[in-house]
Each structure stands twice: as C-alpha cells, then as structure tokens.
Amino acid sequence: MKAIVAVKRVVDYNVKVRVKADGSGVDAANAKMSMNPFDEIAVEEAVRLKEAGIVSEVIAVSIGAAPCQDTLRTALAVGADRAILVETGAEIQPLGAAKLLRALCERESPRIVLTGKQAIDDDANQTGQMLAALMGWPQATFASRLAIDGDVATVEREIDGGVETVEMRLPAVVTADLRLNQPRYATLPNIMRARKKPLETVTPEALGVDVSPRLEILKVSEPPRRAAGIRVADVAELAARLRDAEGVA
Amino acid sequence: MSCLILAEHDNSTLHPVTAHVVAAARRIGGEIHLLVAGDGCRRVAEQAATLDGVAGVWLADAARYADQTPESVAELVAARMAPHSHGLAAATAAGKSVMPRVAALLDVAQISDLVGVESGDTFVRPIYAGSALATVRSSDAKKIITVRATAFAAAGTNSAPAPIESLAVPDAPGKSRVVSRRLNRSARPELDAARVVVSGGRGLGSAENFHALLEPLADRLGAAIGASRAAVDAGFVSNDLQVGQTGKIVAPRLYIAAGLSGAIQHVAGMKDSQVIVAINKDPEAPIFQIADYGLVADLFDAIPALTAALGRTGDGGRNP
C-alpha cells in the first residue's frame, strides 16, 4: 500500500520571529527555513512503515513556492521514494491544503496519509482533520504510537489527561505528535541519492482546486509584553513577596 | 447571528472549559445554543443549561456518541449548523479533532485558538507559538472556531436553566472505534483549571527528583503540576502534563517555573499567568525575562526551603 506524507516548509523551530513594523506579517525574509518538526516525525513514521514491509511506497507532498523542493529533498533523503510539489506562490490556508491533498489522494489512492499535528508557523492544527473529512475517512490526531495490521490501524493518541487507543479501518489520516518517534538524520550518501529520486511538480490549477484564502489577515501584531520583574535575593524574600504582595500563603 | 457550542464532557460532567467558550460566544453576540453529544449524558445537558447566556441545549444522547469520536460528532455538528452563523468548541484535544472536520464538511475555514473577538467576522488568534497575534477576517458564511479557554473568563451560572431539547439521532456505524482510554488520575487540580501551577524542567535531573521536590510544594499550594517538553521527553512525567505551544495552555493565578529554561515553545503555554516565579541556577535563563519574581538558586536547596517557608506562613500566619 502507498502512503502519502504531507510536509510543510516553515521558519525553523529555533528562529525567534519578529513582527514587521507595518503589521503586515512576520519578518521571515532571511530566516532559516526547515521542515515543520511534526512533519519530520510523520516522514519518519512513513519510512518505518516501509521498512517494516507494511507500506510499499512513500510519497512526500509539499505545497508552496519552488524552495519547498528542498523540504521534499529532505524527505527523500530520509527514505521517501518520490515527491510531489504543488507549486504555487499563493497563500495556502488549511482548507486549501486539504483540498490539494484530496486531489492527490484521488490520483494516488494511498491507504494512509501521515502529516504533523500542526505546523509551527500558523499553529492551525487543521489540515489532517480537514483532509479526512473531505475524503470521508477516519482520523487519528496526536498519534504517539501507530500499528497497522492488515486493513486496521491501531493508534495511541495523546489526549487531555492521558492516552486513548483507537482502531480504524484504512484508508485513514494520522497526524503525528512529538512522541511518535525520534526522526533520523539524513546521511550524506542518502542526501546525494535523494537528488536522483523523482520529484514531480504540479499546480493547483492543474489539479482543478480552488485554493482562495477564506481568512484575510488584516494585521499581525506583537503580543503584549510582560513588565520586567525583579530578582529576589533568597527564598525568604521570595516567600515574603508571594505572601505579602501576591496573597499566596 | 447565533452560536452553536459543542459542549466538552465525559458523559457525566460538563468540563469547565465550556463555560469559557460560552463567554467567547457572548462576545460574538446572538443567541447561544449548546450541543451535548454523548451517551447517557442528560446530566451534562442539565449542567450546560445553567450556564449564563445559554438560550437552549440540544441533547444528542445515543450509543454512537458514547466515545464522541470526531467522525460522528463532526457530522452531527455540521448538520446542526444550518440555522447558526458561528460554531464553537474549546481548543482542547477533543475540540481540535472535531472542528476542522466540521469546517471541511461545511466548506469553510476554521479559526484555531481564538483569543479575541473584534466583531462577528473578525477574530484574533496567536501564531508562531504566540510570538505574534494575527487579526483575521472570515469571508465564509459560517465561522467555525476553537476557543483558547484561558483568554475568556468563564461564564457564570443562572438559576433559571435553559430548555433542553432531545435530538433524534440516526443510527450509523462509526468510522473509528475507541479501544481504551487511559487517564492519569490525580488528586490534584486539573492543569488547565488550577489557580496555582508548579512546573519543572530538565533541571530537576530525574523523575525521582521531579516528584520528591515539586510534589510537596504543589501539595502545600494546592497546585497542579506541569512540565516542560524536555522534562516530558526525559520521562520525568507523563505527556499530559506538558505546558507549551503543543501541550496545555495555562493561565493560573501563580505559575512557579522550577529548573526550566523558558524556551519559546514553553513560554507560549504559560505567559498569560498572572504571577510568574522562576527558580533556576542559570542567571541567563530566558525564563527570567518574563518572570515577576526571579530567584537564582540551586533547586535542591531552594524548593524544599520555599515549601517550608510557605508552610510556616500558612500554619502560623493567617490561620492560627
């Protein structure tokens, strides 16, 4: 069975983003870009399913401008077999991304779609669930363990207050949480090999998908800053402050 | 305008986050209806009916909703949205699983983690782990929203409960099945509802230290326990205690951060706390930049001393 794994190119996890002075967005012009960390985990899981003989082919998909090819090459270097870039300069929101992925699912007929539970730029946490709904498939979000036996996926999910185990019949969408696995690093020979793997480019228009944004970003602003606090000298002073100034007994 | 709110519950008790979602809906305006989907959950509907500002409660009480799987609940919510302009749920694991499906079924966008309401179509939400706030305007006929509970003070209760109306529920096989739920039971307050949170990081060094140092302090303060991602990854505590961008978002009266550096991703989950105390032996730790009170000290001395100092006050000071 085929697996599709959806990966997004985002401002690197370690970059502290700044809001542009004109309030039009964040300044990501020269920022280091990387694969969304949750998507790295999704790629790793898909590759492990292939290594376990459960999945026959891993197809990495990314949506965005030409530099997203780098993100796809990273996925290929850790073990994806081929890649599809849906190339567009337009702003793509989760519903648009889910519709593009639906078009590719209809073309490729994967039995499972893996992706990160959220992207660390817009923090939306929507695309996997939207794709599942559009396909009429079951979903397991926040996955911390995935086992596939025949046509049934058993997934442990991180929920508020604990862990839930769900069973669902494939095809299905699984979104990766932090503890699903520890992604491997791409080795130099594999990075070289990845350059020769197939990378196809399509467009939203060619897929017949309307990706018009539904949300207009009017303004991006800095959150209110906390006023600077004070350093206390010792535990006694801290306890006194909490008691007297804050009313904490 | 009118709002439909998906109630969060475990078939017996309405979760407190729902009262915060009602507060957000009141900011949007219009009539507010709650939808309670579950199995044997009439009591939840009765609790929901007492929330201030609620005009009515729809009760979908059927075996197929026993586990509230997102596939079945999303279909129900989408079908019930016909007369409503806004559909809301809490931005919890459950709400985040259901509402994007609802939005996709209705072919509309979803607005995640609402923290501010400007008007019926313009909303504020955090992006980049809360490093920025985006004000967005929806052009869709229906707005589907998850609400960050900490951004809205909970709605109160009303002595005249709203009417409850039962919905006829068609029977249909579910797309997924919950095999088990393993909840970590604790006598402590729930992390996202606690007045005081004591959180630990990698600086505690081990699971044993984490519990031995932080539990007595949490006991003393009636606090919930939280943790940084590093502490969870190191296996000190279970994942459901993680505070941060991808864990719980908390805003207690007092947040004590012990032995955690204050990574952006952690700060995203606690920076709206009223009072933040940071205890760390590294004076350069970024957590001090957002702390109201910072103490540079060795945790292994400071935490037991603080526990003892606060204890003496509690025993002998105010309540002789």
Side-chain angles (χ1 to χ4, degrees):
Chain A
M1 67 163 118
K2 286 188 202 174
I4 281 184
V5 56
V7 298
K8 186 174 185 183
R9 182 172 183 264
V10 297
V11 174
D12 186 81
Y13 184 81
N14 289 308
V15 173
K16 172 94 179 87
V17 299
R18 303 243 170 260
V19 173
K20 285 188 197 164
D22 65 0
S24 64
V26 300
D27 192 1
N30 297 309
K32 182 185 175 203
M33 304 295 283
S34 300
M35 189 189 299
N36 178 41
F38 294 100
D39 299 343
E40 286 184 344
I41 296 169
V43 173
E44 174 67 32
E45 197 66 18
V47 170
R48 288 186 191 187
L49 288 172
K50 186 178 179 193
E51 289 167 347
I54 294 166
V55 159
S56 55
E57 185 183 33
V58 176
I59 307 161
V61 175
S62 192
I63 302 166
C68 292
Q69 288 185 16
D70 299 344
T71 313
L72 289 169
R73 293 287 173 205
T74 305
L76 295 169
V78 294
D81 297 291
R82 62 186 166 98
I84 303 171
L85 170 62
V86 183
E87 190 169 353
T88 172
E91 182 202 350
I92 302 293
Q93 295 179 348
L95 183 63
K99 288 180 177 179
L100 292 169
L101 291 170
R102 172 177 60 180
L104 291 174
C105 283
E106 285 166 351
R107 195 183 89 175
E108 298 286 348
S109 302
R111 299 295 288 167
I112 187 165
V113 175
L114 290 144
T115 192
K117 71 167 179 178
Q118 75 191 63
I120 61 165
D121 50 4
D122 63 15
D123 284 331
N125 196 330
Q126 299 174 9
T127 303
Q129 296 90 310
M130 286 181 157
L131 172 63
L134 293 175
M135 297 300 291
W137 290 355
Q139 69 181 43
T141 48
F142 316 130
S144 60
R145 196 171 164 274
L146 169 63
I148 294 177
D149 185 7
D151 225 18
V152 174
T154 304
V155 186
E156 287 185 8
R157 306 178 52 231
E158 299 196 359
I159 58 169
D160 297 331
V163 177
E164 174 182 280
T165 305
V166 294
E167 257 178 27
M168 51 188 190
R169 199 160 283 282
L170 301 177
V173 175
V174 174
T175 74
D177 213 322
L178 284 174
R179 282 164 279 272
L180 182 59
N181 59 51
Q182 186 73 47
R184 72 194 70 183
Y185 290 102
T187 61
L188 190 58
N190 284 340
I191 292 170
M192 303 304 287
R193 241 169 261 146
R195 290 185 188 171
K196 297 202 174 66
K197 289 185 178 177
L199 193 161
E200 176 195 355
T201 299
V202 296
T203 62
E205 296 72 34
L207 293 171
V209 177
D210 174 9
V211 293
S212 323
R214 306 296 187 85
L215 297 177
E216 182 190 357
I217 298 174
L218 301 180
K219 181 177 76 171
V220 173
S221 57
E222 291 262 2
R225 279 187 192 284
R226 290 187 74 93
I230 57 166
R231 293 283 169 106
V232 294
D234 53 25
V235 168
E237 188 191 346
L238 177 59
R241 295 269 185 183
L242 290 180
R243 191 171 55 230
D244 301 333
E246 308 298 345
V248 178
Chain B
M1 275 192 297
S2 88
C3 295
L4 180 68
I5 296 175
L6 177 63
E8 178 135 353
H9 66 94
D10 61 1
N11 289 324
S12 61
T13 310
L14 181 69
H15 195 285
V17 288
T18 302
H20 297 263
V21 180
V22 170
R26 294 182 77 175
R27 296 283 302 281
I28 292 168
E31 253 192 16
I32 299 172
H33 281 80
L34 257 62
L35 172 62
V36 176
D39 186 19
C41 56
R42 174 159 280 275
R43 264 194 57 201
V44 176
E46 287 164 1
Q47 295 161 41
T50 66
L51 288 174
D52 242 348
V54 173
V57 177
W58 305 112
L59 173 60
D61 198 339
R64 65 176 302 209
Y65 300 126
D67 293 316
Q68 300 175 45
T69 60
E71 297 85 357
S72 60
V73 174
E75 271 180 25
L76 174 68
V77 176
R80 299 301 309 176
M81 274 303 293
H84 299 286
S85 56
H86 294 70
L88 300 94
T92 54
K96 289 174 186 171
S97 296
V98 172
M99 297 312 266
R101 279 192 87 105
V102 173
L105 292 173
L106 297 173
D107 191 28
V108 300
Q110 198 240 283
I111 295 136
S112 298
D113 274 308
L114 179 81
V115 296
V117 176
E118 307 257 295
S119 71
D121 66 2
T122 304
F123 310 100
V124 183
R125 59 172 306 264
I127 55 174
Y128 289 95
S131 300
L133 294 173
T135 303
V136 298
R137 183 163 61 207
S138 163
S139 56
D140 288 316
K142 295 183 189 299
K143 328 308 186 197
I144 300 297
I145 298 167
T146 62
V147 175
R148 181 171 287 190
T150 54
F152 300 90
T157 53
N158 193 317
S159 52
I164 299 171
E165 190 176 325
S166 289
L167 300 176
V169 177
D171 207 24
K175 287 195 168 73
S176 66
R177 185 175 78 84
V178 174
V179 178
S180 67
R181 283 196 179 122
R182 200 169 66 240
L183 299 180
N184 299 312
R185 296 278 172 215
S186 162
R188 297 184 194 288
E190 280 195 59
L191 187 51
D192 44 14
R195 286 187 77 249
V196 181
V197 173
V198 174
S199 250
R202 205 201 310 262
L204 274 307
S206 70
E208 292 71 30
N209 292 343
F210 192 102
H211 294 289
L213 285 178
L214 297 192
E215 282 183 358
L217 179 59
D219 288 343
R220 190 72 85 188
L221 295 168
I225 286 192
S228 69
R229 179 188 167 183
V232 173
D233 284 353
F236 297 176
V237 289
S238 59
N239 61 274
D240 55 305
L241 298 187
Q242 183 175 322
V243 172
Q245 179 186 21
T246 67
K248 293 278 193 327
I249 309 289
V250 302
R253 169 96 181 75
L254 173 64
Y255 189 94
I256 300 181
L260 56 83
S261 62
I264 301 169
Q265 291 76 14
H266 181 78
V267 169
M270 46 67 78
K271 70 185 163 63
D272 294 324
S273 305
Q274 279 181 47
V275 177
I276 297 174
V277 171
I279 306 173
N280 200 306
K281 69 177 176 196
D282 173 11
E284 304 301 323
I287 190 73
F288 286 119
Q289 293 165 16
I290 60 152
D292 299 281
Y293 301 107
L295 174 62
V296 178
D298 187 301
L299 298 176
F300 297 90
D301 302 327
I303 300 289
L306 182 63
T307 306
L310 292 174
R312 268 201 305 280
T313 314
D315 298 341
R318 297 187 173 194
N319 301 307

